[in-house]
Amino acid sequence: MAKKRVGVLISGRGSNMAALIEAAKDKNYPAEIALVLSNRPDAGGLKTAQAEGIATGVVDHGKFGKDREAFELALQAELEKHKIEIVCLAGFMRLLTPWLVSRWPERMLNIHPALLPAFKGLDTHARALEAGVKTHGATVHFVTPELDAGPIVAQGAVAVQNGDTTDTLAARVIKIEHKLYPLALKLVAEGRVRVADGRCLIDGVPVPDAAQLVPTHLN
Ligand code: GRF
């Protein structure tokens, strides 16, 4: 089957983008990273993508002022020009309007650094620590017009340790993100994810019986 052409949208360092690029090097991976687009000309991830020989583009939101429609038209035009079939938001720090989101039904993914629906929005690690949760993590979901609320494709969990700071927790979560996003994209690119009643059903993947306990046991 032909590999799906993926466009990755970034705003910053692009470590999730890099994880997707790495995974897509496998000849059996069902997707290729065909384009990396940034809304910021100085996004570090652009250089990483260029070094990998991937087409990059910048649609600088600053140049469009308050005209979100024109910004999104420009994004969409780039995606179409490169014949993109699936869009991955990877640290893309612009809110998208329903117009753009509705161009990509079940074909636009986002990675969020929390176990949704907990901790939507920003500063997820600080809020998780503040709430005292024992398990935290990351979620890949389809993008819908409502922020961080689309159907969940996959989640990865980490234990919260005594003494964790936002930095130590973020470091543990980002490692999970780098495994989770390639996995979720693979499932979507293979057409194994169906959405029914706002939930993703995934065909043909083993789901472990054992849940993770935090803490695990008494000594
Ligand atoms: C990640 O934590 C991701 O979950 C969030 O933004 C961060 C982007 O990091 N949406 P990077 O640019 O992929 O390194």
PDB file of all heavy atoms in Angstrom, residues 10-18 89-93 110-114 124-125 138-139 170 173-174 177-178 181, ligand 1:
ATOM      1  N   ILE A  10       4.538  22.551  13.211  1.00  0.00           N
ATOM      2  CA  ILE A  10       5.307  22.817  14.433  1.00  0.00           C
ATOM      3  C   ILE A  10       5.372  24.314  14.710  1.00  0.00           C
ATOM      4  O   ILE A  10       5.091  25.136  13.823  1.00  0.00           O
ATOM      5  CB  ILE A  10       6.757  22.267  14.332  1.00  0.00           C
ATOM      6  CG1 ILE A  10       7.529  22.984  13.205  1.00  0.00           C
ATOM      7  CG2 ILE A  10       6.761  20.763  14.099  1.00  0.00           C
ATOM      8  CD1 ILE A  10       9.037  22.713  13.226  1.00  0.00           C
ATOM      9  N   SER A  11       5.780  24.641  15.937  1.00  0.00           N
ATOM     10  CA  SER A  11       6.074  26.038  16.278  1.00  0.00           C
ATOM     11  C   SER A  11       7.430  26.170  16.961  1.00  0.00           C
ATOM     12  O   SER A  11       7.896  27.276  17.192  1.00  0.00           O
ATOM     13  CB  SER A  11       5.014  26.598  17.236  1.00  0.00           C
ATOM     14  OG  SER A  11       3.729  26.553  16.673  1.00  0.00           O
ATOM     15  N   GLY A  12       8.029  25.033  17.343  1.00  0.00           N
ATOM     16  CA  GLY A  12       9.221  25.138  18.191  1.00  0.00           C
ATOM     17  C   GLY A  12      10.288  24.113  17.875  1.00  0.00           C
ATOM     18  O   GLY A  12      10.615  23.864  16.716  1.00  0.00           O
ATOM     19  N   ARG A  13      10.778  23.445  18.950  1.00  0.00           N
ATOM     20  CA  ARG A  13      11.969  22.590  18.779  1.00  0.00           C
ATOM     21  C   ARG A  13      11.680  21.350  17.936  1.00  0.00           C
ATOM     22  O   ARG A  13      12.583  20.774  17.327  1.00  0.00           O
ATOM     23  CB  ARG A  13      12.494  22.177  20.156  1.00  0.00           C
ATOM     24  CG  ARG A  13      11.549  21.261  20.872  1.00  0.00           C
ATOM     25  CD  ARG A  13      11.933  20.930  22.288  1.00  0.00           C
ATOM     26  NE  ARG A  13      10.731  20.352  22.902  1.00  0.00           N
ATOM     27  CZ  ARG A  13      10.661  19.856  24.105  1.00  0.00           C
ATOM     28  NH1 ARG A  13      11.720  19.878  24.882  1.00  0.00           N
ATOM     29  NH2 ARG A  13       9.534  19.364  24.555  1.00  0.00           N
ATOM     30  N   GLY A  14      10.433  20.881  17.943  1.00  0.00           N
ATOM     31  CA  GLY A  14      10.078  19.790  17.037  1.00  0.00           C
ATOM     32  C   GLY A  14      10.619  18.426  17.412  1.00  0.00           C
ATOM     33  O   GLY A  14      10.943  17.624  16.541  1.00  0.00           O
ATOM     34  N   SER A  15      10.666  18.131  18.722  1.00  0.00           N
ATOM     35  CA  SER A  15      11.179  16.797  19.065  1.00  0.00           C
ATOM     36  C   SER A  15      10.170  15.700  18.695  1.00  0.00           C
ATOM     37  O   SER A  15      10.571  14.595  18.305  1.00  0.00           O
ATOM     38  CB  SER A  15      11.583  16.711  20.541  1.00  0.00           C
ATOM     39  OG  SER A  15      10.463  16.700  21.382  1.00  0.00           O
ATOM     40  N   ASN A  16       8.884  15.987  18.778  1.00  0.00           N
ATOM     41  CA  ASN A  16       7.900  14.983  18.322  1.00  0.00           C
ATOM     42  C   ASN A  16       7.978  14.812  16.810  1.00  0.00           C
ATOM     43  O   ASN A  16       7.868  13.694  16.303  1.00  0.00           O
ATOM     44  CB  ASN A  16       6.489  15.379  18.755  1.00  0.00           C
ATOM     45  CG  ASN A  16       6.213  14.977  20.178  1.00  0.00           C
ATOM     46  OD1 ASN A  16       6.096  13.787  20.491  1.00  0.00           O
ATOM     47  ND2 ASN A  16       6.128  15.962  21.073  1.00  0.00           N
ATOM     48  N   MET A  17       8.146  15.916  16.110  1.00  0.00           N
ATOM     49  CA  MET A  17       8.348  15.845  14.653  1.00  0.00           C
ATOM     50  C   MET A  17       9.532  14.939  14.334  1.00  0.00           C
ATOM     51  O   MET A  17       9.462  14.076  13.449  1.00  0.00           O
ATOM     52  CB  MET A  17       8.606  17.265  14.122  1.00  0.00           C
ATOM     53  CG  MET A  17       9.038  17.321  12.685  1.00  0.00           C
ATOM     54  SD  MET A  17      10.147  18.732  12.380  1.00  0.00           S
ATOM     55  CE  MET A  17      11.675  18.142  13.126  1.00  0.00           C
ATOM     56  N   ALA A  18      10.635  15.122  15.083  1.00  0.00           N
ATOM     57  CA  ALA A  18      11.833  14.315  14.844  1.00  0.00           C
ATOM     58  C   ALA A  18      11.542  12.836  15.100  1.00  0.00           C
ATOM     59  O   ALA A  18      12.032  11.962  14.367  1.00  0.00           O
ATOM     60  CB  ALA A  18      12.982  14.800  15.727  1.00  0.00           C
ATOM     61  N   LEU A  89      -0.265  17.731  14.217  1.00  0.00           N
ATOM     62  CA  LEU A  89       0.146  18.917  14.978  1.00  0.00           C
ATOM     63  C   LEU A  89       1.147  18.434  16.030  1.00  0.00           C
ATOM     64  O   LEU A  89       0.869  17.482  16.769  1.00  0.00           O
ATOM     65  CB  LEU A  89      -1.056  19.567  15.669  1.00  0.00           C
ATOM     66  CG  LEU A  89      -2.256  19.914  14.775  1.00  0.00           C
ATOM     67  CD1 LEU A  89      -3.337  20.623  15.612  1.00  0.00           C
ATOM     68  CD2 LEU A  89      -1.860  20.774  13.597  1.00  0.00           C
ATOM     69  N   ALA A  90       2.293  19.076  16.070  1.00  0.00           N
ATOM     70  CA  ALA A  90       3.344  18.637  17.003  1.00  0.00           C
ATOM     71  C   ALA A  90       3.946  19.875  17.657  1.00  0.00           C
ATOM     72  O   ALA A  90       4.921  20.436  17.164  1.00  0.00           O
ATOM     73  CB  ALA A  90       4.399  17.822  16.261  1.00  0.00           C
ATOM     74  N   GLY A  91       3.300  20.312  18.739  1.00  0.00           N
ATOM     75  CA  GLY A  91       3.749  21.544  19.384  1.00  0.00           C
ATOM     76  C   GLY A  91       3.427  22.752  18.520  1.00  0.00           C
ATOM     77  O   GLY A  91       4.186  23.718  18.496  1.00  0.00           O
ATOM     78  N   PHE A  92       2.292  22.684  17.832  1.00  0.00           N
ATOM     79  CA  PHE A  92       1.860  23.800  16.979  1.00  0.00           C
ATOM     80  C   PHE A  92       1.004  24.720  17.841  1.00  0.00           C
ATOM     81  O   PHE A  92      -0.065  24.323  18.295  1.00  0.00           O
ATOM     82  CB  PHE A  92       1.060  23.259  15.790  1.00  0.00           C
ATOM     83  CG  PHE A  92       0.687  24.314  14.785  1.00  0.00           C
ATOM     84  CD1 PHE A  92       1.664  24.960  14.039  1.00  0.00           C
ATOM     85  CD2 PHE A  92      -0.640  24.652  14.576  1.00  0.00           C
ATOM     86  CE1 PHE A  92       1.322  25.933  13.103  1.00  0.00           C
ATOM     87  CE2 PHE A  92      -0.991  25.621  13.639  1.00  0.00           C
ATOM     88  CZ  PHE A  92       0.001  26.254  12.900  1.00  0.00           C
ATOM     89  N   MET A  93       1.507  25.934  18.087  1.00  0.00           N
ATOM     90  CA  MET A  93       0.917  26.776  19.130  1.00  0.00           C
ATOM     91  C   MET A  93      -0.095  27.807  18.593  1.00  0.00           C
ATOM     92  O   MET A  93      -0.155  28.922  19.095  1.00  0.00           O
ATOM     93  CB  MET A  93       2.024  27.481  19.911  1.00  0.00           C
ATOM     94  CG  MET A  93       3.003  26.528  20.589  1.00  0.00           C
ATOM     95  SD  MET A  93       2.193  25.358  21.697  1.00  0.00           S
ATOM     96  CE  MET A  93       1.881  26.444  23.091  1.00  0.00           C
ATOM     97  N   ASN A 110      -3.304  15.479  16.967  1.00  0.00           N
ATOM     98  CA  ASN A 110      -2.548  16.360  17.855  1.00  0.00           C
ATOM     99  C   ASN A 110      -1.986  15.521  18.999  1.00  0.00           C
ATOM    100  O   ASN A 110      -2.585  14.515  19.379  1.00  0.00           O
ATOM    101  CB  ASN A 110      -3.462  17.456  18.428  1.00  0.00           C
ATOM    102  CG  ASN A 110      -2.713  18.386  19.360  1.00  0.00           C
ATOM    103  OD1 ASN A 110      -1.615  18.850  19.055  1.00  0.00           O
ATOM    104  ND2 ASN A 110      -3.288  18.670  20.522  1.00  0.00           N
ATOM    105  N   ILE A 111      -0.843  15.943  19.519  1.00  0.00           N
ATOM    106  CA  ILE A 111      -0.340  15.304  20.738  1.00  0.00           C
ATOM    107  C   ILE A 111      -0.419  16.314  21.866  1.00  0.00           C
ATOM    108  O   ILE A 111      -0.023  17.474  21.717  1.00  0.00           O
ATOM    109  CB  ILE A 111       1.081  14.720  20.574  1.00  0.00           C
ATOM    110  CG1 ILE A 111       1.471  13.951  21.847  1.00  0.00           C
ATOM    111  CG2 ILE A 111       2.122  15.791  20.231  1.00  0.00           C
ATOM    112  CD1 ILE A 111       2.471  12.850  21.624  1.00  0.00           C
ATOM    113  N   HIS A 112      -0.970  15.849  22.986  1.00  0.00           N
ATOM    114  CA  HIS A 112      -1.181  16.729  24.140  1.00  0.00           C
ATOM    115  C   HIS A 112      -0.479  16.120  25.351  1.00  0.00           C
ATOM    116  O   HIS A 112      -0.629  14.919  25.619  1.00  0.00           O
ATOM    117  CB  HIS A 112      -2.687  16.856  24.404  1.00  0.00           C
ATOM    118  CG  HIS A 112      -2.979  17.753  25.570  1.00  0.00           C
ATOM    119  ND1 HIS A 112      -2.863  19.118  25.488  1.00  0.00           N
ATOM    120  CD2 HIS A 112      -3.355  17.466  26.842  1.00  0.00           C
ATOM    121  CE1 HIS A 112      -3.157  19.643  26.668  1.00  0.00           C
ATOM    122  NE2 HIS A 112      -3.464  18.668  27.507  1.00  0.00           N
ATOM    123  N   PRO A 113       0.279  16.923  26.108  1.00  0.00           N
ATOM    124  CA  PRO A 113       1.063  16.350  27.199  1.00  0.00           C
ATOM    125  C   PRO A 113       0.284  16.155  28.502  1.00  0.00           C
ATOM    126  O   PRO A 113       0.649  16.687  29.553  1.00  0.00           O
ATOM    127  CB  PRO A 113       2.210  17.360  27.362  1.00  0.00           C
ATOM    128  CG  PRO A 113       1.604  18.657  26.950  1.00  0.00           C
ATOM    129  CD  PRO A 113       0.574  18.342  25.895  1.00  0.00           C
ATOM    130  N   ALA A 114      -0.781  15.392  28.428  1.00  0.00           N
ATOM    131  CA  ALA A 114      -1.548  15.012  29.621  1.00  0.00           C
ATOM    132  C   ALA A 114      -2.483  13.882  29.221  1.00  0.00           C
ATOM    133  O   ALA A 114      -2.706  13.649  28.025  1.00  0.00           O
ATOM    134  CB  ALA A 114      -2.371  16.187  30.155  1.00  0.00           C
ATOM    135  N   THR A 124       0.347  21.824  31.557  1.00  0.00           N
ATOM    136  CA  THR A 124      -0.246  20.570  32.033  1.00  0.00           C
ATOM    137  C   THR A 124       0.556  19.933  33.159  1.00  0.00           C
ATOM    138  O   THR A 124      -0.026  19.368  34.083  1.00  0.00           O
ATOM    139  CB  THR A 124      -0.343  19.565  30.861  1.00  0.00           C
ATOM    140  OG1 THR A 124       0.964  19.417  30.282  1.00  0.00           O
ATOM    141  CG2 THR A 124      -1.315  20.045  29.806  1.00  0.00           C
ATOM    142  N   HIS A 125       1.895  20.020  33.069  1.00  0.00           N
ATOM    143  CA  HIS A 125       2.703  19.326  34.087  1.00  0.00           C
ATOM    144  C   HIS A 125       2.570  20.015  35.448  1.00  0.00           C
ATOM    145  O   HIS A 125       2.432  19.348  36.471  1.00  0.00           O
ATOM    146  CB  HIS A 125       4.166  19.247  33.652  1.00  0.00           C
ATOM    147  CG  HIS A 125       4.334  18.632  32.305  1.00  0.00           C
ATOM    148  ND1 HIS A 125       3.669  17.481  31.927  1.00  0.00           N
ATOM    149  CD2 HIS A 125       5.042  19.010  31.215  1.00  0.00           C
ATOM    150  CE1 HIS A 125       3.983  17.174  30.678  1.00  0.00           C
ATOM    151  NE2 HIS A 125       4.810  18.095  30.219  1.00  0.00           N
ATOM    152  N   ALA A 138       0.526  11.345  28.236  1.00  0.00           N
ATOM    153  CA  ALA A 138       0.307  12.066  26.989  1.00  0.00           C
ATOM    154  C   ALA A 138      -0.795  11.374  26.198  1.00  0.00           C
ATOM    155  O   ALA A 138      -1.054  10.183  26.375  1.00  0.00           O
ATOM    156  CB  ALA A 138       1.599  12.082  26.171  1.00  0.00           C
ATOM    157  N   THR A 139      -1.418  12.162  25.325  1.00  0.00           N
ATOM    158  CA  THR A 139      -2.552  11.679  24.529  1.00  0.00           C
ATOM    159  C   THR A 139      -2.382  12.105  23.081  1.00  0.00           C
ATOM    160  O   THR A 139      -2.046  13.260  22.821  1.00  0.00           O
ATOM    161  CB  THR A 139      -3.876  12.310  25.056  1.00  0.00           C
ATOM    162  OG1 THR A 139      -4.031  11.986  26.442  1.00  0.00           O
ATOM    163  CG2 THR A 139      -5.086  11.821  24.272  1.00  0.00           C
ATOM    164  N   ALA A 170       8.150  16.622  32.935  1.00  0.00           N
ATOM    165  CA  ALA A 170       8.096  16.879  31.481  1.00  0.00           C
ATOM    166  C   ALA A 170       9.082  15.976  30.745  1.00  0.00           C
ATOM    167  O   ALA A 170       8.785  15.455  29.669  1.00  0.00           O
ATOM    168  CB  ALA A 170       8.412  18.344  31.186  1.00  0.00           C
ATOM    169  N   VAL A 173       7.531  12.581  30.483  1.00  0.00           N
ATOM    170  CA  VAL A 173       6.380  12.550  29.566  1.00  0.00           C
ATOM    171  C   VAL A 173       6.842  12.646  28.105  1.00  0.00           C
ATOM    172  O   VAL A 173       6.321  11.943  27.240  1.00  0.00           O
ATOM    173  CB  VAL A 173       5.367  13.668  29.903  1.00  0.00           C
ATOM    174  CG1 VAL A 173       4.278  13.753  28.829  1.00  0.00           C
ATOM    175  CG2 VAL A 173       4.735  13.426  31.272  1.00  0.00           C
ATOM    176  N   ILE A 174       7.833  13.485  27.843  1.00  0.00           N
ATOM    177  CA  ILE A 174       8.221  13.667  26.437  1.00  0.00           C
ATOM    178  C   ILE A 174       8.797  12.370  25.854  1.00  0.00           C
ATOM    179  O   ILE A 174       8.598  12.062  24.677  1.00  0.00           O
ATOM    180  CB  ILE A 174       9.186  14.869  26.247  1.00  0.00           C
ATOM    181  CG1 ILE A 174       9.209  15.326  24.769  1.00  0.00           C
ATOM    182  CG2 ILE A 174      10.596  14.546  26.699  1.00  0.00           C
ATOM    183  CD1 ILE A 174       8.168  16.304  24.412  1.00  0.00           C
ATOM    184  N   GLU A 177       5.903  10.535  24.768  1.00  0.00           N
ATOM    185  CA  GLU A 177       5.346  11.165  23.562  1.00  0.00           C
ATOM    186  C   GLU A 177       6.044  10.660  22.308  1.00  0.00           C
ATOM    187  O   GLU A 177       5.416  10.412  21.280  1.00  0.00           O
ATOM    188  CB  GLU A 177       5.482  12.691  23.643  1.00  0.00           C
ATOM    189  CG  GLU A 177       4.620  13.321  24.713  1.00  0.00           C
ATOM    190  CD  GLU A 177       4.647  14.849  24.654  1.00  0.00           C
ATOM    191  OE1 GLU A 177       4.643  15.404  23.536  1.00  0.00           O
ATOM    192  OE2 GLU A 177       4.679  15.478  25.723  1.00  0.00           O
ATOM    193  N   HIS A 178       7.371  10.520  22.418  1.00  0.00           N
ATOM    194  CA  HIS A 178       8.139  10.136  21.235  1.00  0.00           C
ATOM    195  C   HIS A 178       7.869   8.696  20.797  1.00  0.00           C
ATOM    196  O   HIS A 178       8.149   8.321  19.664  1.00  0.00           O
ATOM    197  CB  HIS A 178       9.637  10.349  21.494  1.00  0.00           C
ATOM    198  CG  HIS A 178       9.982  11.787  21.713  1.00  0.00           C
ATOM    199  ND1 HIS A 178      11.143  12.209  22.301  1.00  0.00           N
ATOM    200  CD2 HIS A 178       9.273  12.925  21.417  1.00  0.00           C
ATOM    201  CE1 HIS A 178      11.139  13.537  22.365  1.00  0.00           C
ATOM    202  NE2 HIS A 178      10.033  13.987  21.850  1.00  0.00           N
ATOM    203  N   TYR A 181       3.441   8.993  19.585  1.00  0.00           N
ATOM    204  CA  TYR A 181       2.978   9.646  18.353  1.00  0.00           C
ATOM    205  C   TYR A 181       3.227   8.759  17.126  1.00  0.00           C
ATOM    206  O   TYR A 181       2.323   8.550  16.309  1.00  0.00           O
ATOM    207  CB  TYR A 181       3.606  11.041  18.210  1.00  0.00           C
ATOM    208  CG  TYR A 181       2.687  12.079  17.582  1.00  0.00           C
ATOM    209  CD1 TYR A 181       3.008  13.434  17.611  1.00  0.00           C
ATOM    210  CD2 TYR A 181       1.499  11.708  16.958  1.00  0.00           C
ATOM    211  CE1 TYR A 181       2.165  14.395  17.046  1.00  0.00           C
ATOM    212  CE2 TYR A 181       0.654  12.665  16.384  1.00  0.00           C
ATOM    213  CZ  TYR A 181       1.003  14.005  16.426  1.00  0.00           C
ATOM    214  OH  TYR A 181       0.172  14.947  15.872  1.00  0.00           O
TER     215      TYR A 181
HETATM  216  C1  GRF B   1       4.951  18.547  23.447  1.00  0.00           C
HETATM  217  O1  GRF B   1       4.986  18.370  24.825  1.00  0.00           O
HETATM  218  C2  GRF B   1       3.568  18.323  22.919  1.00  0.00           C
HETATM  219  O2  GRF B   1       2.841  17.379  23.644  1.00  0.00           O
HETATM  220  C3  GRF B   1       2.935  19.671  23.081  1.00  0.00           C
HETATM  221  O3  GRF B   1       3.955  20.593  22.780  1.00  0.00           O
HETATM  222  C4  GRF B   1       5.215  20.000  23.038  1.00  0.00           C
HETATM  223  C5  GRF B   1       6.000  20.097  21.773  1.00  0.00           C
HETATM  224  O4  GRF B   1       7.322  19.663  21.920  1.00  0.00           O
HETATM  225  N1  GRF B   1       1.769  19.778  22.247  1.00  0.00           N
HETATM  226  P1  GRF B   1       8.207  19.377  20.652  1.00  0.00           P
HETATM  227  O5  GRF B   1       8.250  20.665  19.821  1.00  0.00           O
HETATM  228  O6  GRF B   1       7.600  18.253  19.887  1.00  0.00           O
HETATM  229  O7  GRF B   1       9.568  19.036  21.175  1.00  0.00           O
END
